[in-house]
Amino acid sequence: MPQIEFINVSKEYEPGKKVLDDVTFKVEPGEFMFVVGPSGAGKSTIIKLLTKEEMPEGGDILFNGESVLNISKDSVPGLRRKIGVVFQDFRLLESKTVFDNVAVALEVADSNLEEIRSIVPNVLNMVGLTDKMFKYPKQLSGGEKQKVAIARALAHEPDVILADEPTGMIDPDSVDDVLEVLEKINSLGTTILMATHDQEIVNAMKKRVLRIERGQVVSDKKGGKYRA
Amino acid sequence: MSNIKKEKLLSVSNILIMTVTFVLLGLLINVVVFSQTALRYLEDQAQVTVFFKDDFNEAKINELKDSLSKDKRVSELVYVSKEDALRIFREINKDEPVLLESVSASILPASLEVRAGKISNLKPLAEELKIIDGVEEVRYFEDVVSRFKFWSTVVYIIGTLLVLVFLVVSYSVVIAALRATINSKGVEFEIMKIVGASDDYVKVPLIHHGVFFGLFSSFIASVLMIILGVVITLTNVFPRGLGIGFLPGVFVAPWVFSIILTFILLLSGFLLGYLGSSAAIKKYLNY
């Protein structure tokens, strides 16, 4: 059973202007897939639809075989705990330490202090930030901030990590570090769906590439390449 | 100015506005209860006094008294004989011996004080008594009571309008305060939602925030009302206590009433905070 399935999905934010037009694709468990395309192609919309931040005008979206569209409002938090999201702008809380930024994900799920104290150092260790646990975001580099965001996304041990342009705001030297962490997570069985328009990264990683242009899937190749 | 300072200033001004609302609400309720108590006192005192001609002797007066005592509109009858009238006159004018010397019981009229259960019955009773042969004069103070009623009503209406205006202002203040909080914590709320926070996890602290504003402001107003209640108790302005409008014949000590008022104010504070914050969450967080 595919982990993620988009079936003829259409989405428009304004009447008549389709951001996604009849998009269909599947992602198997444990896959690493790039969603590529120019800005405004609809990459971020795919992530928002999957986390039920947005609703499509047509089609269906399945996650682990269950329609996301039919999930009740009360079940949306549960869905979001199975899907970790990483953003280009990190979305960290500047007033909280690295530890606390990761802990937020557990606190909202009513985890107790013991669980938080055990899980947070583990995920920070996985992304290589154990020594920065009590630093504040402003004391970190762009790459480190993104790793904190990845650690936060990992806190619930999600089935999938959705990364929306995760290397877009970090210095070139840190890009490899972040990709390395994502590959490591993927190797442990977590599905990764990464939206990007960085052709160097896509071509270097040699993963499945789903190309979207003007809201439509124009190609879907394993070990594919991308030329912007 | 830093955000924290701005937030503190905003919170203080919000609490001040809401405190004014609850003080006004407390004062309005007090004014209503005080005026009702005073009105009841006036109504109790309101009576028709029938003065008789000299030829209308005591036997005839007693006959009239008997027939009036069967009248359901009459609650109490007091006969004041010429001698009683002289005694009262002497008591009132005890410091004026010249005046006392010139007055004897024979020149003072006997009278009958007629009290009605309902103040509205005074006028028809007075009209009926006026036309009885042997009645010299009928006096009653309808004007005092009706004027007091009129001004009490005016005070209720103005006070209620004022309280309603301030309630609307306070409701808006709660919404504005939470709007500021929601704006300043927008990223935090967004992150919470992304990482799987339930609606309640985001909403409940904001509801607490609004309820805190309401309860804290109403608590300050309640303390002021308790002080007012203690002062009124100590000064003995209402010796019988305060009349509770919807419970006829029930009087409570002013300090007891101020405790009842405290509960009313705290409940109002809670409701205002809860409803205001719920509205703000719905409006600005799309919940």
Side-chain angles (χ1 to χ4, degrees), chain B residues 2 24-25 29 33 36 38-39 46 63 66 84 110 116 139 163 188 213 220 226 236 260 267 279:
Chain B
S2 72
L24 277 175
L25 180 64
I29 295 172
V33 171
Q36 273 188 349
L39 194 62
E63 204 179 306
D66 284 346
D84 293 335
R139 281 187 198 164
V163 167
E188 195 169 339
F213 274 133
I220 297 172
I226 287 174
N236 209 21
I260 297 170
L267 182 67

Side-chain angles (χ1 to χ4, degrees), chain A residues 14-219:
Chain A
E14 285 174 53
K17 288 185 181 174
K18 283 189 175 171
V19 180
L20 292 181
D21 185 7
D22 204 24
V23 169
T24 298
F25 66 87
K26 290 176 188 173
V27 183
E28 296 299 328
E31 257 196 286
F32 193 127
M33 184 176 92
F34 284 111
V35 180
V36 299
S39 296
K43 305 186 294 291
S44 300
T45 302
I46 288 175
I47 290 172
K48 284 180 181 169
L49 289 170
L50 203 48
T51 54
K52 215 177 173 178
E53 269 186 82
E54 295 289 346
M55 288 289 277
E57 269 67 49
D60 201 0
I61 300 159
L62 307 182
F63 179 70
N64 288 338
E66 198 184 337
S67 173
V68 169
L69 312 187
N70 296 335
I71 287 175
S72 69
K73 205 179 167 196
D74 290 341
S75 303
V76 172
L79 169 77
R80 290 181 183 164
R81 288 171 205 167
K82 289 180 193 160
I83 302 173
V85 186
V86 178
F87 297 94
Q88 182 178 12
D89 57 359
F90 325 122
R91 301 205 190 165
L92 300 180
L93 297 169
E94 295 295 321
S95 59
K96 289 184 189 281
T97 63
V98 167
F99 183 98
D100 290 336
N101 264 287
V102 178
V104 164
L106 298 164
E107 283 164 5
V108 301
D110 291 329
S111 299
N112 60 42
L113 203 57
E114 207 176 306
E115 287 172 313
I116 292 171
R117 282 181 181 157
S118 137
I119 295 169
V120 175
N122 270 343
V123 289
L124 285 173
N125 182 41
M126 192 182 278
V127 299
L129 282 181
T130 308
D131 56 331
K132 310 272 179 171
M133 207 180 287
F134 300 108
K135 300 269 185 201
Y136 286 87
K138 64 182 175 193
Q139 297 171 296
L140 305 177
S141 70
E144 287 169 334
K145 284 181 188 174
Q146 196 56 284
K147 284 185 195 172
V148 177
I150 294 169
R152 184 181 62 198
L154 282 173
H156 291 302
E157 294 182 33
D159 297 337
V160 177
I161 294 271
L162 304 177
D164 190 3
E165 304 273 6
T167 55
M169 280 175 72
I170 58 180
D171 56 288
D173 295 342
S174 303
V175 170
D176 287 347
D177 281 353
V178 170
L179 293 173
E180 204 176 291
V181 167
L182 288 174
E183 268 205 296
K184 185 176 161 189
I185 295 163
N186 180 238
S187 69
L188 295 170
T190 306
T191 308
I192 308 276
L193 200 148
M194 178 171 154
T196 185
H197 58 256
D198 188 324
Q199 62 183 40
E200 271 184 46
I201 292 171
V202 176
N203 295 340
M205 299 273 285
K206 295 185 175 64
K207 303 284 185 187
R208 181 180 164 195
V209 180
L210 182 86
R211 185 177 178 134
I212 294 184
E213 277 177 21
R214 285 190 286 271
Q216 290 183 317
V217 176
V218 292
S219 70

Side-chain angles (χ1 to χ4, degrees), chain B:
Chain B
M1 206 171 350
S2 72
N3 274 344
I4 295 171
K5 270 189 182 172
K6 268 186 198 168
E7 265 183 45
K8 273 186 184 169
L9 204 65
L10 195 67
S11 298
V12 169
S13 61
N14 290 338
I15 285 171
L16 269 177
I17 292 170
M18 291 176 77
T19 303
V20 169
T21 304
F22 290 116
V23 167
L24 277 175
L25 180 64
L27 286 177
L28 176 75
I29 295 172
N30 266 320
V31 165
V32 170
V33 171
F34 292 170
S35 58
Q36 273 188 349
T37 306
L39 194 62
R40 244 182 231 181
Y41 176 78
L42 280 178
E43 281 181 340
D44 285 351
Q45 298 303 308
Q47 61 182 31
V48 174
T49 309
V50 188
F51 294 98
F52 299 100
K53 290 175 182 166
D54 285 347
D55 58 354
F56 203 76
N57 60 30
E58 197 165 334
K60 286 179 180 171
I61 294 171
N62 279 331
E63 204 179 306
L64 177 66
K65 194 181 166 190
D66 284 346
S67 86
L68 280 172
S69 66
K70 287 170 193 155
D71 193 321
K72 284 179 181 171
R73 295 171 298 174
V74 176
S75 65
E76 197 183 348
L77 287 160
V78 177
Y79 171 57
V80 180
S81 66
K82 282 173 170 282
E83 288 71 27
D84 293 335
L86 182 64
R87 203 167 46 249
I88 294 165
F89 184 83
R90 280 182 176 157
E91 181 60 32
I92 295 168
N93 300 292
K94 59 186 173 191
D95 300 329
E96 297 188 48
V98 181
L99 189 64
L100 291 177
E101 268 178 33
S102 62
V103 175
S104 65
S106 62
I107 65 161
L108 292 170
S111 62
L112 193 60
E113 290 169 358
V114 184
R115 287 182 186 153
K118 284 183 183 173
I119 200 159
S120 55
N121 288 328
L122 279 179
K123 196 174 180 180
L125 272 171
E127 297 297 328
E128 287 168 30
L129 290 166
K130 247 184 220 173
I131 53 169
I132 292 173
D133 203 21
V135 170
E136 174 90 44
E137 192 187 352
V138 174
R139 281 187 198 164
Y140 77 104
F141 300 103
E142 185 206 31
D143 282 359
V144 177
V145 176
S146 59
R147 262 189 220 167
F148 187 84
K149 266 192 167 173
F150 170 76
W151 286 110
S152 301
T153 310
V154 170
V155 170
Y156 299 163
I157 293 169
I158 293 172
T160 307
L161 286 175
L162 209 59
V163 167
L164 284 176
V165 167
F166 270 83
L167 278 176
V168 171
V169 170
S170 293
Y171 181 74
S172 313
V173 159
V174 175
I175 293 177
L178 287 176
R179 183 190 178 181
T181 307
I182 289 166
N183 284 345
S184 68
K185 293 190 172 178
V187 178
E188 195 169 339
F189 292 144
E190 200 185 332
I191 291 168
M192 283 177 177
K193 280 168 124 179
I194 290 162
V195 296
S198 64
D199 287 1
D200 280 349
Y201 189 88
V202 180
K203 275 158 71 175
V204 169
L206 289 168
I207 298 271
H208 286 173
H209 197 72
V211 168
F212 169 77
F213 274 133
L215 281 179
F216 189 72
S217 315
S218 57
F219 174 75
I220 297 172
S222 298
V223 169
L224 294 175
M225 292 305 124
I226 287 174
I227 292 169
L228 182 66
V230 170
V231 168
I232 289 168
T233 305
L234 293 175
T235 50
N236 209 21
V237 179
F238 297 101
R240 276 203 297 174
L242 294 170
I244 306 291
F246 52 91
L247 296 170
V250 175
F251 287 87
V252 295
W255 68 268
V256 174
F257 175 70
S258 62
I259 289 173
I260 297 170
L261 187 57
T262 295
F263 282 109
I264 295 171
L265 291 178
L266 290 174
L267 182 67
S268 310
F270 173 81
L271 287 176
L272 191 73
Y274 182 82
L275 296 175
S277 50
S278 300
I281 289 164
K282 205 170 182 182
K283 197 170 176 185
Y284 302 113
L285 273 178
N286 296 324
Y287 275 132

